[in-house]
Amino acid sequence: KYKQIRDDYNRLLYRRAGQLQTSKAASSAAKAVVDDMQDRLRKEIAEREAEAALYSARLYESERQMSDWYVERRMLEDHIAKLNEEV
């Protein structure tokens, strides 16, 4: 849901910026500001996607470590149980 809202918002921003750029009444300074804003928006989107990828990688690594730890703990518990049965 969040991704859909974000995509809709970005689409509307680009549409409004495009309308200003194609408008005859807009000054060159306004068009330059819009171009700058669009560049910043693209950079921000790329930065957020990079952050999301980094957080996903960190989360995956953390979950993998927890899974490895759980499996190791379980194997040790089984080994201790077998040793207790032998004693």
Side-chain angles (χ1 to χ4, degrees), residues 59-87:
L59 178 62
Y60 171 78
E61 184 62 28
S62 174
E63 287 178 347
R64 188 183 63 78
Q65 288 175 352
M66 288 180 67
S67 296
D68 291 347
W69 174 81
Y70 178 78
V71 168
E72 183 178 351
R73 187 183 107 204
R74 189 73 180 158
M75 289 174 66
L76 287 173
E77 287 173 351
D78 290 346
H79 183 67
I80 289 171
K82 286 180 185 177
L83 290 175
N84 281 337
E85 286 177 8
E86 288 178 8
V87 172

Side-chain angles (χ1 to χ4, degrees), residues 11 13 16 19 21 25 28 32 34 36-37 47-48 51 54 58 67 71 77 79 81-82 86:
R11 184 175 37 81
L13 280 178
R16 292 183 88 187
Q19 288 173 351
Q21 286 179 326
S28 61
V34 170
D36 185 46
M37 289 175 62
E47 185 178 309
R48 287 181 189 261
E51 284 179 1
L54 177 64
R58 286 182 181 170
S67 296
V71 168
E77 287 173 351
H79 183 67
K82 286 180 185 177
E86 288 178 8

Side-chain angles (χ1 to χ4, degrees), residues 2-41:
Y2 170 76
K3 184 173 173 22
Q4 180 186 0
I5 293 170
R6 187 185 66 193
D7 290 342
D8 289 344
Y9 175 74
N10 289 336
R11 184 175 37 81
L12 290 172
L13 280 178
Y14 282 121
R15 184 187 306 164
R16 292 183 88 187
Q19 288 173 351
L20 181 62
Q21 286 179 326
T22 58
S23 172
K24 304 284 185 196
S27 68
S28 61
K31 290 180 181 182
V33 168
V34 170
D35 287 340
D36 185 46
M37 289 175 62
Q38 284 182 325
D39 288 340
R40 288 183 185 185
L41 181 61

